[in-house]
Every structure is written in C-alpha cells, then in structure tokens.
Amino acid sequence: MTAPFLSLKDAIVRYDRLTAVDGVSLELRRGETLGLVGESGCGKSTIARAIVGLQPLTAGTISIEGETLQDVSSQRRVNLQRRIQLLFQDPAASLSPRLRVQSLLAEPLKIRRAFVPENWARIMAVAESIGLGEQLLPRYPHQLSGGQARRVALVRALAAEPSIIVADEPTAGLDISVQGELLNLLRALRDRLGLSYLLISHNLNVVGRVTDRVAVMYLGQIVESGPTATLFREPAHPYTQALLSVNLTLDANRRRERIVLSGELPSPSNPPAGCRFHKRCPLAQPKCASEAPTLQAGAGGRSVACHFPLAAKPAVMPQPIAG
C-alpha cells in the first residue's frame, strides 16, 4: 500500500454546542476514489469544507503528503491546500452571477497570477475536451443547464492544477443520462491527470460504481469503512446494512429485504450515550447503551465500530449508470 496523499486524524469540528464531526480519521491515496456516505446532517459536507480550508478544525490534524497543515507556515498551508479543490453541491450557486463563463474560468488563473497565454490555452483545451465550447464563454451562470454549470465548476477547479477533487453530491439534480456522462468524465480525468477523489453522495448506485473504498458516517463519526465491493456485499455494521437495504434496483432478483429503522436521527448537539446508533439499532444489547465502540481494523482493509458486528448478509450491488 502506498502512503496516503491526504490524511485526517481524529478530526473534530464544533459549532458552539453542536459537534458536527467527532473524531473522524480518513485516508486517501493517489489515484483513488473514496466514497463518503450517510444520512443528511451526519457531517459529510463539514468534512469536505474542513479539508479545503473553509472550516477550521476544533481538534485533530489534516496532512497532505505527510505534511501536517497545522505545523507549516501560512504560505505553505495555502500552497498545499490549493492542491485540493472542492466541487460544491450546488454548482450554480458557487459561480458569481455577475461574471460570464469566460471570466469565471480566467479567475483562478488571475488569483494565482498565472494568467498567461499558455495557461489560458490549457484551460480552453480542457474545457473543449469536456464539452464546454467557445459558444458558452459569453453566457452567465443562469443561462447554463445543470450539467453545463457543473462542467464550468470542474474546469475552474482544474485550473488550479489540483491533485485531489472533493466532490460534494456531484450528480444531485441531474437526470440519469447526464449523471452517466459526468461520472465517465470524472473517471477519464482521474486516469488522465492522476487525480484522487473524495466523493460525497447519497446515491449508492453512484458510490458503488465509481469508488474504490467507502466510509460510512453516522452522527459525526465513521462507523464502517472498507473496499467498496466487499462493503456492499458484506456490510458489518447494522447501520450500513440498513442503508444498503433501501438502495434502488430494477432487478427483482437482486433486491433484498428493506430494513426500516425505528425512531429519528438524534441531534448532534445531544448524541446518545454509548453507541450513537443503539436507539435505532434492531440488534442493540445493553452494552451498546453504555459503552461507545471504537473503529476496529479487520482483515482485507475493513474497519467497523460495532460491539456485535453482523454475520454479513449479501447486499445488492448497484445497477450500472447509463450514459
């Protein structure tokens, strides 16, 4: 195994009395696509913002190629974090409505003081290769389709010559054919440019098809992680099994019994004692209410935070993405 390019260690993010991220550790290697999944409000987007420097950590560390950001100079930190670019969940909202596409694409180069003919030609070549022709350059963001806005955001990110792309719900709001085109594009760019991706998504079909590994979050913590194929086939945590049970598939022979969790997701400002999932877990035992499980590494790159991990039941692998 190669050393991780990006590493989070015991990351904590607090907002007043609310702890959005509580002791999360993640690793991302060169050329790898890591999926991050979980219910809304579990802390996925907060992790994304912390990685790119938009949200400071309350505790813990972020390291890039072995350099801990908290230990380097401010200029070195800026240079390191520039190698990580974020694709926002709402691409149109991330684009200034006052600027035309041409200005939006030039802006990252101007910020870096790298707006020279050869760099502009490189950006235009990338834009053309992903379907952003010159006819779109005079348009404003509100004149773009959802797919076009995502492509503009992607080219802007690539203008910084990143090594890592953090994609927050990159297929949200797109129809299935456009989803397929975008995912194929991301994979092609990964192979051509040697990129790594942290892919945050609710769409398990997308996660199952394009990621190498998956980390599952619940209420600010990682409860399970491992190779995608293994985790989807043999979930070890009851929450992961419930999450996968509602994954949609058109093949009736590949569907599994749906697991409906009781109760509501607890508030991050007042998480339950012990295992945070125990009040909704159909397999909870007295120990779960009093003792918090730790993330334990197992065979084959698997890790699970559960006192009584499942004897795995086969899950449904996602259907192929069209396009």
Side-chain angles (χ1 to χ4, degrees):
M1 296 291 286
T2 58
F5 181 74
L6 171 70
S7 176
L8 271 72
K9 181 67 174 176
D10 300 327
I12 296 175
V13 177
R14 291 195 182 100
Y15 303 102
D16 296 325
R17 297 181 181 179
L18 187 152
T19 302
V21 175
D22 194 359
V24 167
S25 296
L26 288 174
E27 292 184 349
L28 179 66
R29 294 177 171 80
R30 286 189 181 275
E32 180 181 53
T33 300
L34 172 66
L36 186 60
V37 302
E39 291 172 280
S40 296
C42 70
K44 304 185 300 299
S45 294
T46 301
I47 287 178
R49 294 174 64 84
I51 288 173
V52 300
L54 295 177
Q55 174 62 51
L57 294 182
T58 305
T61 60
I62 300 175
S63 301
I64 300 175
E65 282 196 306
E67 293 188 71
T68 301
L69 296 183
Q70 290 85 343
D71 296 339
V72 299
S73 67
S74 58
Q75 183 57 54
R76 180 58 179 161
R77 187 182 308 118
V78 169
N79 292 336
L80 286 171
Q81 288 190 309
R82 185 176 289 155
R83 302 173 70 181
I84 307 173
Q85 294 295 311
L86 174 62
L87 295 182
F88 289 89
Q89 185 170 341
D90 185 348
S94 72
L95 304 175
S96 171
R98 297 181 177 86
L99 297 180
R100 299 179 188 270
V101 169
Q102 181 169 346
S103 298
L104 289 167
L105 298 183
E107 188 177 36
L109 295 177
K110 292 178 178 179
I111 291 173
R112 295 171 56 208
R113 299 180 180 178
F115 189 70
V116 295
E118 54 266 34
N119 282 342
W120 179 246
R122 174 177 61 83
I123 293 303
M124 286 297 93
V126 172
E128 187 70 32
S129 71
I130 68 171
L132 283 179
E134 290 187 1
Q135 72 277 10
L136 296 179
L137 296 182
R139 296 186 184 179
Y140 289 96
H142 73 271
Q143 296 173 312
L144 303 175
S145 68
Q148 290 169 340
R150 289 184 189 277
R151 283 173 168 80
V152 171
L154 180 57
V155 175
R156 276 170 55 86
L158 294 174
E161 299 184 280
S163 300
I164 295 173
I165 297 288
V166 179
D168 191 358
E169 298 286 357
T171 60
L174 301 179
D175 64 47
I176 191 69
S177 62
V178 179
Q179 284 186 27
E181 292 173 3
L182 180 62
L183 293 173
N184 289 336
L185 171 62
L186 291 175
R187 282 184 290 206
L189 289 171
R190 181 189 65 179
D191 296 339
R192 192 172 82 202
L193 303 177
L195 297 171
S196 301
Y197 292 117
L198 175 60
L199 178 67
I200 298 170
S201 182
H202 288 97
N203 191 328
L204 295 177
N205 282 315
V206 168
V207 172
R209 290 297 168 182
V210 303
T211 63
D212 302 299
R213 291 187 301 117
V214 179
V216 182
M217 283 194 74
Y218 183 81
L219 212 61
Q221 298 180 335
I222 302 295
V223 297
E224 185 170 4
S225 66
T228 302
T230 305
L231 187 144
F232 270 72
R233 184 176 62 251
E234 300 173 348
H237 197 284
Y239 176 67
T240 306
Q241 187 180 54
L243 204 63
L244 293 173
S245 76
V246 298
N247 189 40
L248 298 177
T249 175
L250 298 178
D251 186 350
N253 294 323
R254 302 175 70 228
R255 294 174 189 159
R256 61 182 310 204
E257 182 180 354
R258 182 170 181 172
I259 300 173
V260 179
L261 298 177
S262 60
E264 297 183 359
L265 184 69
S267 170
S269 62
N270 186 29
C275 174
R276 297 188 174 191
F277 184 60
H278 82 269
K279 290 189 175 182
R280 304 174 72 196
C281 180
L283 306 176
Q285 300 185 32
K287 180 179 181 180
C288 304
S290 59
E291 184 178 334
T294 57
L295 198 64
Q296 298 291 329
R302 298 288 300 276
S303 295
V304 61
C306 183
H307 294 306
F308 307 100
L310 295 165
K313 296 172 62 177
V316 175
M317 285 298 292
Q319 295 291 84
I321 299 294

Short mmCIF file of all heavy atoms in Angstrom, two decimals, residues 159-205:
data_model
loop_
_atom_site.label_atom_id
_atom_site.label_comp_id
_atom_site.label_asym_id
_atom_site.label_seq_id
_atom_site.Cartn_x
_atom_site.Cartn_y
_atom_site.Cartn_z
N ALA A 159 -8.27 24.38 -13.10
CA ALA A 159 -7.36 25.49 -13.39
C ALA A 159 -6.29 25.64 -12.32
O ALA A 159 -5.20 26.16 -12.60
CB ALA A 159 -8.16 26.78 -13.53
N ALA A 160 -6.58 25.20 -11.12
CA ALA A 160 -5.61 25.27 -10.02
C ALA A 160 -4.63 24.11 -10.04
O ALA A 160 -3.77 24.01 -9.16
CB ALA A 160 -6.34 25.32 -8.68
N GLU A 161 -4.74 23.24 -11.04
CA GLU A 161 -3.89 22.05 -11.17
C GLU A 161 -3.86 21.23 -9.88
O GLU A 161 -2.80 20.99 -9.30
CB GLU A 161 -2.48 22.45 -11.60
CG GLU A 161 -2.43 23.15 -12.95
CD GLU A 161 -1.03 23.45 -13.42
OE1 GLU A 161 -0.46 24.46 -12.93
OE2 GLU A 161 -0.51 22.69 -14.24
N PRO A 162 -5.04 20.80 -9.41
CA PRO A 162 -5.11 20.07 -8.13
C PRO A 162 -4.65 18.62 -8.28
O PRO A 162 -4.56 18.08 -9.39
CB PRO A 162 -6.60 20.13 -7.80
CG PRO A 162 -7.26 20.11 -9.15
CD PRO A 162 -6.37 20.93 -10.04
N SER A 163 -4.39 18.02 -7.14
CA SER A 163 -4.14 16.57 -7.08
C SER A 163 -5.37 15.83 -6.58
O SER A 163 -5.52 14.64 -6.83
CB SER A 163 -2.96 16.29 -6.16
OG SER A 163 -1.79 16.92 -6.61
N ILE A 164 -6.23 16.55 -5.84
CA ILE A 164 -7.42 15.94 -5.24
C ILE A 164 -8.63 16.80 -5.55
O ILE A 164 -8.58 18.03 -5.43
CB ILE A 164 -7.27 15.80 -3.71
CG1 ILE A 164 -6.15 14.82 -3.36
CG2 ILE A 164 -8.58 15.33 -3.07
CD1 ILE A 164 -5.85 14.76 -1.87
N ILE A 165 -9.72 16.16 -5.94
CA ILE A 165 -11.01 16.82 -6.10
C ILE A 165 -11.96 16.28 -5.03
O ILE A 165 -12.15 15.06 -4.92
CB ILE A 165 -11.62 16.56 -7.49
CG1 ILE A 165 -10.73 17.14 -8.60
CG2 ILE A 165 -13.03 17.15 -7.57
CD1 ILE A 165 -10.73 18.63 -8.69
N VAL A 166 -12.52 17.17 -4.23
CA VAL A 166 -13.56 16.80 -3.27
C VAL A 166 -14.90 17.14 -3.93
O VAL A 166 -15.21 18.32 -4.14
CB VAL A 166 -13.40 17.55 -1.94
CG1 VAL A 166 -14.51 17.16 -0.97
CG2 VAL A 166 -12.03 17.25 -1.33
N ALA A 167 -15.68 16.13 -4.27
CA ALA A 167 -16.93 16.31 -5.00
C ALA A 167 -18.10 16.08 -4.06
O ALA A 167 -18.34 14.95 -3.63
CB ALA A 167 -17.00 15.36 -6.20
N ASP A 168 -18.82 17.15 -3.73
CA ASP A 168 -19.96 17.07 -2.80
C ASP A 168 -21.25 16.91 -3.62
O ASP A 168 -21.70 17.86 -4.25
CB ASP A 168 -20.01 18.33 -1.95
CG ASP A 168 -20.98 18.22 -0.78
OD1 ASP A 168 -21.66 17.17 -0.66
OD2 ASP A 168 -21.09 19.18 0.00
N GLU A 169 -21.81 15.73 -3.61
CA GLU A 169 -23.04 15.40 -4.35
C GLU A 169 -22.94 15.87 -5.81
O GLU A 169 -23.75 16.66 -6.29
CB GLU A 169 -24.26 16.06 -3.68
CG GLU A 169 -24.52 15.61 -2.27
CD GLU A 169 -25.12 14.20 -2.21
OE1 GLU A 169 -25.37 13.60 -3.26
OE2 GLU A 169 -25.33 13.71 -1.08
N PRO A 170 -21.96 15.36 -6.57
CA PRO A 170 -21.74 15.87 -7.93
C PRO A 170 -22.85 15.54 -8.91
O PRO A 170 -22.95 16.19 -9.96
CB PRO A 170 -20.43 15.19 -8.34
CG PRO A 170 -20.39 13.93 -7.54
CD PRO A 170 -21.00 14.29 -6.22
N THR A 171 -23.70 14.55 -8.61
CA THR A 171 -24.76 14.18 -9.55
C THR A 171 -26.14 14.64 -9.09
O THR A 171 -27.14 14.33 -9.75
CB THR A 171 -24.79 12.65 -9.75
OG1 THR A 171 -25.04 12.01 -8.49
CG2 THR A 171 -23.48 12.15 -10.32
N ALA A 172 -26.22 15.39 -7.99
CA ALA A 172 -27.52 15.82 -7.47
C ALA A 172 -28.24 16.70 -8.48
O ALA A 172 -27.65 17.62 -9.06
CB ALA A 172 -27.34 16.58 -6.16
N GLY A 173 -29.51 16.40 -8.73
CA GLY A 173 -30.33 17.22 -9.61
C GLY A 173 -30.16 16.94 -11.08
O GLY A 173 -30.79 17.61 -11.91
N LEU A 174 -29.32 15.98 -11.44
CA LEU A 174 -29.09 15.67 -12.85
C LEU A 174 -29.88 14.42 -13.24
O LEU A 174 -30.01 13.49 -12.43
CB LEU A 174 -27.61 15.42 -13.12
CG LEU A 174 -26.65 16.57 -12.78
CD1 LEU A 174 -25.22 16.16 -13.07
CD2 LEU A 174 -27.01 17.83 -13.55
N ASP A 175 -30.38 14.38 -14.47
CA ASP A 175 -31.06 13.17 -14.91
C ASP A 175 -30.04 12.07 -15.14
O ASP A 175 -28.83 12.30 -15.19
CB ASP A 175 -31.94 13.42 -16.14
CG ASP A 175 -31.14 13.81 -17.37
OD1 ASP A 175 -30.12 13.16 -17.67
OD2 ASP A 175 -31.53 14.79 -18.04
N ILE A 176 -30.52 10.85 -15.31
CA ILE A 176 -29.65 9.68 -15.28
C ILE A 176 -28.62 9.69 -16.40
O ILE A 176 -27.46 9.29 -16.21
CB ILE A 176 -30.49 8.37 -15.32
CG1 ILE A 176 -29.62 7.15 -15.02
CG2 ILE A 176 -31.20 8.23 -16.64
CD1 ILE A 176 -29.13 7.08 -13.61
N SER A 177 -28.99 10.17 -17.59
CA SER A 177 -28.03 10.18 -18.69
C SER A 177 -26.92 11.20 -18.44
O SER A 177 -25.75 10.93 -18.73
CB SER A 177 -28.75 10.49 -20.00
OG SER A 177 -29.35 11.78 -19.96
N VAL A 178 -27.27 12.37 -17.89
CA VAL A 178 -26.26 13.38 -17.59
C VAL A 178 -25.37 12.91 -16.45
O VAL A 178 -24.16 13.16 -16.43
CB VAL A 178 -26.92 14.73 -17.26
CG1 VAL A 178 -25.87 15.79 -16.91
CG2 VAL A 178 -27.76 15.21 -18.44
N GLN A 179 -25.95 12.20 -15.49
CA GLN A 179 -25.15 11.61 -14.41
C GLN A 179 -24.07 10.70 -14.99
O GLN A 179 -22.90 10.77 -14.60
CB GLN A 179 -26.03 10.79 -13.47
CG GLN A 179 -26.88 11.60 -12.51
CD GLN A 179 -27.61 10.69 -11.53
OE1 GLN A 179 -27.16 9.60 -11.22
NE2 GLN A 179 -28.75 11.15 -11.04
N GLY A 180 -24.49 9.84 -15.92
CA GLY A 180 -23.53 8.92 -16.52
C GLY A 180 -22.42 9.63 -17.25
O GLY A 180 -21.24 9.26 -17.14
N GLU A 181 -22.77 10.69 -18.00
CA GLU A 181 -21.76 11.46 -18.72
C GLU A 181 -20.77 12.10 -17.76
O GLU A 181 -19.55 12.08 -17.98
CB GLU A 181 -22.43 12.54 -19.56
CG GLU A 181 -23.26 12.00 -20.73
CD GLU A 181 -24.03 13.10 -21.43
OE1 GLU A 181 -23.87 14.28 -21.04
OE2 GLU A 181 -24.78 12.79 -22.37
N LEU A 182 -21.28 12.67 -16.67
CA LEU A 182 -20.41 13.34 -15.70
C LEU A 182 -19.49 12.34 -15.01
O LEU A 182 -18.29 12.60 -14.83
CB LEU A 182 -21.26 14.09 -14.67
CG LEU A 182 -20.48 14.84 -13.59
CD1 LEU A 182 -19.61 15.92 -14.20
CD2 LEU A 182 -21.42 15.44 -12.56
N LEU A 183 -20.02 11.19 -14.63
CA LEU A 183 -19.20 10.19 -13.95
C LEU A 183 -18.13 9.63 -14.87
O LEU A 183 -16.98 9.41 -14.46
CB LEU A 183 -20.09 9.07 -13.41
CG LEU A 183 -21.04 9.48 -12.29
CD1 LEU A 183 -21.99 8.34 -11.96
CD2 LEU A 183 -20.27 9.90 -11.04
N ASN A 184 -18.49 9.40 -16.13
CA ASN A 184 -17.49 8.95 -17.09
C ASN A 184 -16.40 9.99 -17.28
O ASN A 184 -15.21 9.66 -17.41
CB ASN A 184 -18.15 8.62 -18.43
CG ASN A 184 -18.99 7.36 -18.37
OD1 ASN A 184 -18.78 6.49 -17.53
ND2 ASN A 184 -19.98 7.26 -19.25
N LEU A 185 -16.80 11.26 -17.27
CA LEU A 185 -15.84 12.35 -17.39
C LEU A 185 -14.90 12.38 -16.20
O LEU A 185 -13.67 12.51 -16.36
CB LEU A 185 -16.60 13.67 -17.52
CG LEU A 185 -15.77 14.95 -17.43
CD1 LEU A 185 -14.76 15.01 -18.57
CD2 LEU A 185 -16.70 16.17 -17.47
N LEU A 186 -15.44 12.25 -14.99
CA LEU A 186 -14.59 12.27 -13.80
C LEU A 186 -13.61 11.12 -13.81
O LEU A 186 -12.43 11.28 -13.43
CB LEU A 186 -15.47 12.21 -12.55
CG LEU A 186 -16.32 13.46 -12.24
CD1 LEU A 186 -17.22 13.21 -11.05
CD2 LEU A 186 -15.44 14.67 -12.00
N ARG A 187 -14.04 9.94 -14.24
CA ARG A 187 -13.14 8.80 -14.29
C ARG A 187 -12.04 9.01 -15.34
O ARG A 187 -10.88 8.67 -15.11
CB ARG A 187 -13.92 7.52 -14.59
CG ARG A 187 -14.64 6.96 -13.37
CD ARG A 187 -15.33 5.66 -13.65
NE ARG A 187 -16.48 5.83 -14.52
CZ ARG A 187 -17.53 5.01 -14.54
NH1 ARG A 187 -17.56 3.98 -13.72
NH2 ARG A 187 -18.55 5.23 -15.35
N ALA A 188 -12.43 9.58 -16.49
CA ALA A 188 -11.44 9.82 -17.53
C ALA A 188 -10.39 10.84 -17.07
O ALA A 188 -9.19 10.67 -17.32
CB ALA A 188 -12.14 10.31 -18.80
N LEU A 189 -10.84 11.89 -16.37
CA LEU A 189 -9.91 12.89 -15.86
C LEU A 189 -9.00 12.30 -14.78
O LEU A 189 -7.81 12.64 -14.71
CB LEU A 189 -10.68 14.08 -15.30
CG LEU A 189 -11.37 14.97 -16.32
CD1 LEU A 189 -12.28 15.98 -15.62
CD2 LEU A 189 -10.35 15.70 -17.20
N ARG A 190 -9.55 11.43 -13.96
CA ARG A 190 -8.73 10.78 -12.93
C ARG A 190 -7.59 9.99 -13.57
O ARG A 190 -6.43 10.08 -13.16
CB ARG A 190 -9.59 9.84 -12.07
CG ARG A 190 -8.82 9.14 -10.96
CD ARG A 190 -9.64 8.08 -10.27
NE ARG A 190 -9.98 6.98 -11.17
CZ ARG A 190 -10.69 5.91 -10.80
NH1 ARG A 190 -11.15 5.81 -9.57
NH2 ARG A 190 -10.95 4.96 -11.67
N ASP A 191 -7.93 9.22 -14.61
CA ASP A 191 -6.91 8.40 -15.26
C ASP A 191 -5.91 9.25 -16.04
O ASP A 191 -4.71 8.95 -16.05
CB ASP A 191 -7.59 7.40 -16.21
CG ASP A 191 -8.48 6.41 -15.47
OD1 ASP A 191 -8.28 6.24 -14.26
OD2 ASP A 191 -9.37 5.82 -16.11
N ARG A 192 -6.38 10.33 -16.68
CA ARG A 192 -5.51 11.15 -17.50
C ARG A 192 -4.60 12.06 -16.69
O ARG A 192 -3.43 12.27 -17.01
CB ARG A 192 -6.36 12.00 -18.45
CG ARG A 192 -5.54 12.68 -19.55
CD ARG A 192 -6.47 13.33 -20.55
NE ARG A 192 -6.92 14.64 -20.08
CZ ARG A 192 -8.02 15.24 -20.51
NH1 ARG A 192 -8.80 14.65 -21.38
NH2 ARG A 192 -8.34 16.44 -20.06
N LEU A 193 -5.13 12.60 -15.59
CA LEU A 193 -4.39 13.58 -14.80
C LEU A 193 -3.85 13.02 -13.49
O LEU A 193 -3.18 13.74 -12.75
CB LEU A 193 -5.30 14.79 -14.50
CG LEU A 193 -5.88 15.50 -15.73
CD1 LEU A 193 -6.82 16.62 -15.28
CD2 LEU A 193 -4.78 16.05 -16.62
N GLY A 194 -4.16 11.77 -13.19
CA GLY A 194 -3.69 11.18 -11.94
C GLY A 194 -4.36 11.75 -10.71
O GLY A 194 -3.75 11.84 -9.63
N LEU A 195 -5.63 12.14 -10.83
CA LEU A 195 -6.35 12.75 -9.72
C LEU A 195 -6.81 11.72 -8.70
O LEU A 195 -6.96 10.53 -9.01
CB LEU A 195 -7.58 13.51 -10.25
CG LEU A 195 -7.34 14.69 -11.18
CD1 LEU A 195 -8.66 15.15 -11.77
CD2 LEU A 195 -6.65 15.82 -10.44
N SER A 196 -7.06 12.19 -7.50
CA SER A 196 -7.75 11.41 -6.47
C SER A 196 -9.06 12.13 -6.16
O SER A 196 -9.13 13.36 -6.24
CB SER A 196 -6.91 11.30 -5.20
OG SER A 196 -5.66 10.70 -5.47
N TYR A 197 -10.09 11.36 -5.78
CA TYR A 197 -11.39 11.94 -5.49
C TYR A 197 -11.88 11.52 -4.11
O TYR A 197 -11.75 10.35 -3.72
CB TYR A 197 -12.45 11.48 -6.49
CG TYR A 197 -12.28 11.98 -7.90
CD1 TYR A 197 -12.05 11.09 -8.95
CD2 TYR A 197 -12.38 13.33 -8.21
CE1 TYR A 197 -11.90 11.53 -10.25
CE2 TYR A 197 -12.24 13.78 -9.51
CZ TYR A 197 -11.99 12.88 -10.52
OH TYR A 197 -11.86 13.33 -11.81
N LEU A 198 -12.45 12.48 -3.40
CA LEU A 198 -13.31 12.19 -2.25
C LEU A 198 -14.72 12.48 -2.72
O LEU A 198 -15.07 13.64 -2.97
CB LEU A 198 -12.95 13.04 -1.04
CG LEU A 198 -13.88 12.89 0.17
CD1 LEU A 198 -13.90 11.45 0.68
CD2 LEU A 198 -13.49 13.85 1.29
N LEU A 199 -15.53 11.45 -2.88
CA LEU A 199 -16.87 11.58 -3.46
C LEU A 199 -17.91 11.46 -2.36
O LEU A 199 -18.05 10.40 -1.73
CB LEU A 199 -17.09 10.50 -4.51
CG LEU A 199 -18.47 10.46 -5.18
CD1 LEU A 199 -18.69 11.70 -6.03
CD2 LEU A 199 -18.62 9.20 -6.02
N ILE A 200 -18.64 12.55 -2.11
CA ILE A 200 -19.70 12.57 -1.10
C ILE A 200 -21.03 12.45 -1.82
O ILE A 200 -21.33 13.24 -2.72
CB ILE A 200 -19.64 13.88 -0.30
CG1 ILE A 200 -18.30 13.99 0.44
CG2 ILE A 200 -20.80 13.97 0.68
CD1 ILE A 200 -18.07 15.35 1.07
N SER A 201 -21.84 11.46 -1.45
CA SER A 201 -23.08 11.25 -2.18
C SER A 201 -24.08 10.46 -1.36
O SER A 201 -23.71 9.63 -0.53
CB SER A 201 -22.80 10.53 -3.50
OG SER A 201 -23.98 10.35 -4.25
N HIS A 202 -25.38 10.74 -1.62
CA HIS A 202 -26.46 9.90 -1.11
C HIS A 202 -26.79 8.79 -2.10
O HIS A 202 -27.50 7.84 -1.75
CB HIS A 202 -27.73 10.73 -0.88
CG HIS A 202 -27.64 11.65 0.30
ND1 HIS A 202 -27.31 12.97 0.18
CD2 HIS A 202 -27.85 11.42 1.61
CE1 HIS A 202 -27.32 13.53 1.39
NE2 HIS A 202 -27.65 12.61 2.27
N ASN A 203 -26.31 8.92 -3.33
CA ASN A 203 -26.66 7.98 -4.39
C ASN A 203 -25.75 6.76 -4.31
O ASN A 203 -24.61 6.79 -4.78
CB ASN A 203 -26.54 8.68 -5.75
CG ASN A 203 -27.14 7.85 -6.87
OD1 ASN A 203 -27.11 6.63 -6.84
ND2 ASN A 203 -27.67 8.52 -7.87
N LEU A 204 -26.26 5.68 -3.74
CA LEU A 204 -25.43 4.50 -3.55
C LEU A 204 -25.10 3.80 -4.86
O LEU A 204 -24.09 3.11 -4.96
CB LEU A 204 -26.13 3.53 -2.59
CG LEU A 204 -26.30 4.04 -1.16
CD1 LEU A 204 -27.07 3.03 -0.32
CD2 LEU A 204 -24.96 4.35 -0.53
N ASN A 205 -25.95 3.97 -5.87
CA ASN A 205 -25.61 3.42 -7.18
C ASN A 205 -24.35 4.09 -7.72
O ASN A 205 -23.48 3.43 -8.29
CB ASN A 205 -26.78 3.63 -8.16
CG ASN A 205 -27.88 2.62 -7.95
OD1 ASN A 205 -27.64 1.44 -7.78
ND2 ASN A 205 -29.11 3.10 -7.93
#
